[in-house]
Amino acid sequence: PTSTPTRRRRSRPSASCRGLKNMELLTEARELIESGALGHLVTLNAAGSPQVSCVWVGVDDGQLVSGHLSARQQKLRNVRRDPRVTLSFEGTSIHPPGLKEYLVVHGTARIEPGGAPELLQRLARVYLGPDVKFPPMDDPPPGFVIRTTPERLGGVGPWAG
């Protein structure tokens, strides 16, 4: 028996995704990110499987930023090899027909050396409280900052329209 060749469909962005080429992050998306919602950072392992980490995320000049003190983290190795990342955030609002709001940001990441302690201190005020010292050590290592340029938004909420 002969097999019929399989046709591949061209993928198109769904109606629930909004492209961001040369656009700023939407106000509502920025507000959710800056509200203290944990980010779920998805990077790709060498074999293509996903690697997920919960991270604190801020917004700086239209990019999403997260701080990392150790160079040995798998997420950093993954981003160095393949800069495609996805971050997701869970909101608190309920949208019809009863779905909880969430934001998915697809983008390209780059790693900058240094700046992690300062960024983590700034984010600690959002995630832990205004008077906290973070990292909780004297003379923390300079670490790394992952800067993600958003390219496409998805999820459930005003950014999905």
Side-chain angles (χ1 to χ4, degrees):
T2 60
S3 63
T4 306
T6 306
R7 287 184 185 228
R8 292 187 59 145
R9 282 189 187 182
R10 290 179 104 182
S11 64
R12 286 187 259 160
S14 71
S16 66
C17 292
R18 185 176 280 181
L20 291 178
K21 299 290 184 204
N22 298 320
M23 294 175 61
E24 278 199 34
L25 203 57
L26 300 172
T27 301
E28 298 89 349
R30 183 184 184 112
E31 288 171 354
L32 174 58
I33 295 165
E34 293 179 333
S35 73
L38 275 176
H40 309 96
L41 173 64
V42 182
T43 62
L44 296 172
N45 288 316
S49 62
Q51 192 271 341
V52 182
S53 302
C54 284
V55 294
W56 293 351
V57 181
V59 179
D60 180 44
D61 197 26
Q63 296 180 319
L64 287 87
V65 290
S66 58
H68 311 277
L69 295 175
S70 172
R72 295 176 297 185
Q73 295 175 338
Q74 184 65 44
K75 61 185 150 267
L76 294 174
R77 289 194 298 270
N78 288 347
V79 168
R80 283 187 188 101
R81 189 189 62 263
D82 186 339
R84 296 174 297 166
V85 300
T86 300
L87 288 128
S88 70
F89 304 87
E90 185 176 354
T92 56
S93 300
I94 305 295
H95 293 266
L99 297 173
K100 196 171 205 181
E101 178 176 271
Y102 69 95
L103 168 65
V104 178
V105 180
H106 303 268
T108 301
R110 65 184 166 87
I111 298 171
E112 291 181 347
E118 297 80 8
L119 175 59
L120 290 169
Q121 177 60 59
R122 184 185 110 201
L123 296 174
R125 292 185 185 108
V126 174
Y127 287 94
L128 301 177
D131 299 323
V132 73
K133 177 185 185 299
F134 198 91
M137 63 184 80
D138 292 329
D139 198 29
F144 303 86
V145 172
I146 295 179
R147 298 184 75 85
T148 300
T149 301
E151 295 170 355
R152 186 167 46 102
L153 301 181
V156 172
W159 43 79

